[in-house]
């Protein structure tokens, strides 16, 4: 039995295209995201199961499920906890998992002083996870870093998550990291990572790359978010052609605070 559905996809010009498509009975799952290619947009999805393939285990029709960028593995899907609203669960599927992987996998302790650079889609969720609620998002201190060549932040940092949309000048950041501290560059970029070597050597600083999250960490993240009622700051748009275009326009203008979510 096939299913027909509406999709919003990219094009060579970058315009959003709305179309109808049909696919056969499900046998595998796949989600791709490309703005300039003829395929569906999106990689932070939450929805309701309508059909399942013959090899699917652990899911049934009617379950609420989420999926992220990491979608081809040898394991079975972990469904979203039912006490997380789908619109708040969706940004956790990639952005939330990316920052939670760092917090869960690299021995960050409650007594550590941790910095987050870039309060955007990833950065604001890192703050929420780190402190839940103190000031508006959970940070106890805030410093402007754009255009600053020397940081004055008081006590040095044990860990620094860099979640900016571009690779920064690393020299000022190295000056505020404690000996044996760690920097986690989470910016998605094809540019070279160029960091002054001497302060890294003399202070024993670690530059730690990090992938999105293993399924075990993904599950812990969802449980943690549900337990502490952590909800990403989102803006919602209708899942229509005009809604997609409005959301993309606000994204290009840098006005999204802090994650755009399409709601059917």
């Amino acid at each position: 039995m096939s299913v027909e559905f509406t999709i919003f996809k990219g094009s060579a010009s970058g315009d959003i295209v709305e179309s109808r498509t049909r696919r056969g009975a499900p046998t595998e799952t796949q989600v791709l995201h490309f703005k300039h290619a003829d395929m569906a947009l999106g990689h932070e999805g939450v929805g309701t199961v309508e059909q399942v393939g013959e090899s699917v285990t652990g899911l049934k029709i009617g379950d609420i499920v989420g999926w992220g960028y990491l979608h081809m593995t040898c394991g079975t899907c972990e469904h979203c906890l039912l006490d997380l609203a789908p619109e708040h669960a969706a940004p956790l599927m990639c952005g939330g998992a990316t920052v939670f992987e760092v917090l869960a996998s690299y021995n960050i302790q409650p007594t550590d002083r941790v910095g987050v650079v870039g309060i955007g889609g990833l950065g604001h969720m890192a703050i929420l996870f780190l402190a839940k609620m103190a000031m508006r998002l959970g940070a106890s201190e805030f410093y402007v870093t754009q255009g600053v060549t020397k940081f004055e932040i008081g006590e040095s940092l044990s860990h620094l998550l860099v979640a900016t949309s571009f690779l920064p000048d690393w020299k000022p950041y190295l000056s505020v990291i404690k000996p044996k501290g760690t920097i986690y560059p989470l910016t998605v970029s094809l540019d070279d990572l160029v960091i002054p070597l001497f302060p890294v050597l003399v202070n024993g600083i670690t530059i730690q790359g990090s992938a999105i999250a293993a399924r075990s960490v993904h599950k812990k993240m969802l449980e943690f978010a549900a337990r502490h009622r952590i909800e990403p700051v989102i803006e919602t748009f209708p899942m229509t052609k005009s809604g997609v275009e409005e959301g993309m326009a606000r994204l290009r203008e840098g006005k999204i605070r802090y994650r755009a979510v399409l709601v059917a």
Side-chain angles (χ1 to χ4, degrees), residues 28 90 96 111 117 194 259:
E28 298 180 23
T111 54
V117 182
V194 181
R259 214 59 166 176

Side-chain angles (χ1 to χ4, degrees), residues 127-222:
I127 295 171
L128 287 171
F129 283 135
L130 281 165
K132 297 191 289 293
M133 288 299 289
M135 294 169 66
R136 181 169 182 268
L137 289 178
S140 58
E141 301 171 36
F142 175 80
Y143 303 94
V144 175
T145 60
Q146 186 172 1
V148 177
T149 57
K150 183 179 180 182
F151 295 161
E152 302 288 350
I153 67 166
E155 184 184 351
S156 298
L157 303 173
S158 300
H159 303 271
L160 179 65
L161 283 69
V162 180
T164 54
S165 57
F166 55 89
L167 291 174
D169 175 6
W170 292 100
K171 188 174 182 180
Y173 296 99
L174 291 172
S175 68
V176 298
I177 302 297
K178 289 181 177 179
K180 305 294 185 181
T182 305
I183 298 177
Y184 307 87
L186 303 179
T187 304
V188 177
S189 174
L190 297 179
D191 294 334
D192 292 338
L193 183 64
V194 181
I195 294 181
L197 178 60
F198 190 70
V200 173
L201 289 177
V202 297
N203 291 305
I205 294 173
T206 298
I207 310 298
Q208 178 64 61
S210 179
I212 301 165
R215 285 180 180 270
S216 59
V217 175
H218 209 125
K219 185 175 186 295
K220 290 177 184 177
M221 173 200 66
L222 292 172

Side-chain angles (χ1 to χ4, degrees), residues 228-248:
H228 296 289
R229 303 305 308 164
I230 292 176
E231 298 179 347
V233 178
I234 64 173
E235 293 185 32
T236 60
F237 301 88
M239 193 176 288
T240 61
K241 185 174 185 294
S242 61
V244 175
E245 290 173 338
E246 181 185 359
M248 296 294 282

